[in-house]
Amino acid sequence: MKPSKKLEKNLEAKVKQTIKKYKLCNKEEKIIVAVSGGKDSTTVACLLYKFGYNIELFHINLKIGDYSEKCLDAVKTLSKLLNVKLHIYDIKKEMGSGMCYLRTAIQTKSKLKTKLKNCAICGVIKKWILNKEARKLKADKIATGHNLDDEAQTFLMNIFKGSPQLSANTGPVTRNLPDKKAKFTPRIKPLFYVAENNIKEYSKLKNLPVVYEKCPCALDSYRIQVRKFVNTLTETEKQNIMKNFDSLIKRIEKIKDTRIEYCEVCGEPARNKVCKKCNLVKA
Ligand code: AMP
Ligand code: ZN
């Protein structure tokens, strides 16, 4: 078998297996795929579509200059290619300004000694938007493009912070129960066990409409430092990180906190009285 055919077969089988093993979704559900225009989320959308799931695309236009324009073009092309609906959330129209401005305002106001990282702020705001908008669209699930490398980095970052228990809230599916007000849309990560370089190869092989350049704001992220470190490890060492993750998850899952509170400020689901996004905005 040609190496490209083998990669395609293996990747698709791995994703199918993850969906089945963790019961990520079924064909009756409406799945909103959060597409950034990057290789991972574009691949997720194509695979879920190929496997016959009921998907719609959701894109947040972060208004980060040229970069966001390219991402917007890519997701529009994807929507046409698959002939599936694309919902666009324009951050400037909805929240008053682009991500760069929102983020700088938060960083300037913050009284914390260490500067809040660009990606951390952007990540919290994107998650908040995604949950709120997916609920409006009556989605059963939100699918994201998080891959094996992302998850290994997150796991290590939590260890370096001295808080491995934070990893309990990750996994191929985030289900928080009980959610009395039905405000939380479960998030699924079909690429949880697929390595980043394989996704890159797959997306190139399939000629998918993808923006390969990195976000220009992702400069000072702690994750980038961890990624550099992870890249120096051997393949076996990387796999061993995930072996630790798998066994830790099994143990922590039994005691993990699945309670949901509702933010006093915006009403969205939260772990505490005020959600992470409102905490940042008022900081
Ligand atoms: P990131 O936070 O950039 O690591 O992205 C993680 C996942 O969030 C991606 O794989 C996408 O599924 C989703 N995502 C990131 N950026 C956007 C965006 N601008 N619009 C919609 N979804 C996004
Ligand atoms: Zn809030």
Side-chain angles (χ1 to χ4, degrees), residues 126-143:
K126 280 190 295 199
K127 237 186 211 178
W128 181 84
I129 295 171
L130 268 176
N131 188 66
K132 197 160 67 78
E133 298 303 312
R135 190 174 64 243
K136 280 192 203 159
L137 295 170
K138 301 199 177 351
D140 296 296
K141 300 277 163 64
I142 297 169

Side-chain angles (χ1 to χ4, degrees), residues 87-108:
H87 305 272
I88 297 170
Y89 181 99
D90 184 310
I91 203 165
K92 215 168 199 167
K93 279 193 201 135
E94 304 283 344
M95 297 181 88
S97 29
M99 181 52 78
C100 303
Y101 183 84
L102 285 176
R103 199 190 55 230
T104 313
I106 289 169
Q107 285 165 331
T108 316

Side-chain angles (χ1 to χ4, degrees), residues 34-36 40-41 58-62 123 126 130 143-146 150:
V35 284
S36 61
D40 306 301
S41 49
F58 184 85
H59 176 69
I60 306 168
N61 184 352
L62 297 166
K126 280 190 295 199
L130 268 176
T144 63
H146 292 91
D150 295 329

Side-chain angles (χ1 to χ4, degrees), residues 128 263 265-268 274-275 277-278:
W128 181 84
C263 175
V265 183
C266 69
E268 285 298 298
V274 176
C275 78
K277 175 255 172 195
C278 291

Side-chain angles (χ1 to χ4, degrees), residues 17-224:
Q17 198 189 351
T18 306
I19 294 175
K20 194 170 166 208
K21 182 168 174 196
Y22 295 94
K23 301 187 177 65
L24 297 193
C25 48
N26 64 54
K27 297 201 171 147
E28 276 72 54
E29 288 174 330
K30 176 171 174 178
I31 305 167
I32 292 291
V33 187
V35 284
S36 61
K39 62 184 184 326
D40 306 301
S41 49
T42 305
T43 300
V44 166
C46 290
L47 289 175
L48 291 179
Y49 175 82
K50 185 171 181 180
F51 300 158
Y53 291 97
N54 171 20
I55 65 162
E56 286 181 11
L57 311 177
F58 184 85
H59 176 69
I60 306 168
N61 184 352
L62 297 166
K63 294 280 178 179
I64 306 178
D66 243 24
Y67 172 74
S68 289
E69 288 299 315
K70 286 183 202 161
C71 293
L72 184 62
D73 280 348
V75 294
K76 281 184 179 168
T77 309
L78 178 68
S79 155
K80 280 195 199 120
L81 190 74
L82 303 180
N83 196 21
V84 294
K85 204 163 182 177
L86 167 67
H87 305 272
I88 297 170
Y89 181 99
D90 184 310
I91 203 165
K92 215 168 199 167
K93 279 193 201 135
E94 304 283 344
M95 297 181 88
S97 29
M99 181 52 78
C100 303
Y101 183 84
L102 285 176
R103 199 190 55 230
T104 313
I106 289 169
Q107 285 165 331
T108 316
K109 268 197 297 175
S110 168
K111 293 182 188 75
L112 294 173
K113 278 201 198 104
T114 46
K115 189 178 161 227
L116 289 162
K117 304 286 189 206
N118 290 357
C119 300
I121 297 174
C122 185
V124 166
I125 295 179
K126 280 190 295 199
K127 237 186 211 178
W128 181 84
I129 295 171
L130 268 176
N131 188 66
K132 197 160 67 78
E133 298 303 312
R135 190 174 64 243
K136 280 192 203 159
L137 295 170
K138 301 199 177 351
D140 296 296
K141 300 277 163 64
I142 297 169
T144 63
H146 292 91
N147 61 41
L148 179 65
D149 292 56
D150 295 329
E151 299 303 324
Q153 289 152 19
T154 305
F155 179 61
L156 282 183
M157 282 160 71
N158 290 337
I159 288 177
F160 293 153
K161 277 188 226 157
S163 316
Q165 73 283 1
L166 290 178
S167 290
N169 293 317
T170 68
V173 57
T174 318
R175 277 193 201 93
N176 291 58
L177 296 165
D179 176 13
K180 289 191 295 273
K181 298 188 187 174
K183 282 196 161 187
F184 181 82
T185 309
R187 287 191 297 271
I188 59 171
K189 300 173 181 172
L191 300 178
F192 195 87
Y193 291 105
V194 187
E196 185 164 13
N197 57 345
N198 290 338
I199 300 166
K200 193 171 182 179
E201 248 184 273
Y202 182 89
S203 66
K204 290 197 164 164
L205 197 73
K206 294 276 173 183
N207 217 2
L208 302 181
V210 165
V211 176
Y212 287 99
E213 71 191 73
K214 293 278 171 219
C215 170
C217 303
L219 298 170
D220 58 356
S221 154
Y222 182 44
R223 182 177 290 275
I224 290 177

